[in-house]
Amino acid sequence: MMLSEEKITHLTHVLLQGLINRNLIGLNDEEGKIRREIKRIIVNELKIGEDIDSAVRKKLQSFSRKLSEGSPEWEVLYKKFFREEEIKRGRASG
């Protein structure tokens, strides 16, 4: 996971407080229950991002001509394939 447990927990507090301060949500449930749901969503999104990253890296490694990670060509193709994979998985629109 790209974020530590503590950072995710901190994000849930910041997000919930921001939503409350801007009157974007009303609390019908306990804050702890809402923070756990926010945390679950963040963790799921991070997992999807990691899965996409893994799929894209695998695709780049399958090329007959090996690309150096971090090279301009690698970066362009990584971004292109990452976007395509997001669209394929319904995470972004094309």
Side-chain angles (χ1 to χ4, degrees):
M1 188 177 317
M2 297 172 122
L3 293 175
S4 69
E5 184 81 18
E6 293 79 24
K7 286 181 182 176
I8 293 171
T9 300
H10 177 70
L11 281 174
T12 65
H13 285 273
V14 171
L15 285 170
L16 182 58
Q17 200 57 52
L19 292 170
I20 292 170
N21 290 346
R22 289 172 180 80
N23 295 319
L24 295 173
I25 63 167
L27 292 179
N28 293 330
D29 289 315
E30 320 173 17
E31 285 188 26
K33 186 176 179 181
I34 296 170
R35 280 196 306 272
R36 282 190 297 276
E37 181 62 14
I38 293 171
K39 186 175 186 175
R40 186 190 64 76
I41 293 167
I42 291 172
V43 168
N44 284 345
E45 284 297 315
L46 290 172
K47 176 76 174 100
I48 291 168
E50 290 173 355
D51 290 346
I52 291 172
D53 175 75
S54 179
V56 170
R57 288 176 184 277
K58 189 174 180 180
K59 186 173 187 175
L60 287 170
Q61 288 172 351
S62 71
F63 284 15
S64 58
R65 186 173 62 88
K66 298 300 172 201
L67 301 171
S68 296
E69 183 174 341
S71 68
E73 185 179 10
W74 188 94
E75 292 290 336
V76 167
L77 289 173
Y78 179 87
K79 288 178 185 175
K80 177 182 183 264
F81 294 149
F82 195 95
R83 179 78 178 152
E84 288 174 358
E85 196 67 31
E86 283 185 308
I87 292 168
K88 191 167 92 178
R89 295 177 188 220
R91 194 174 186 207
S93 60

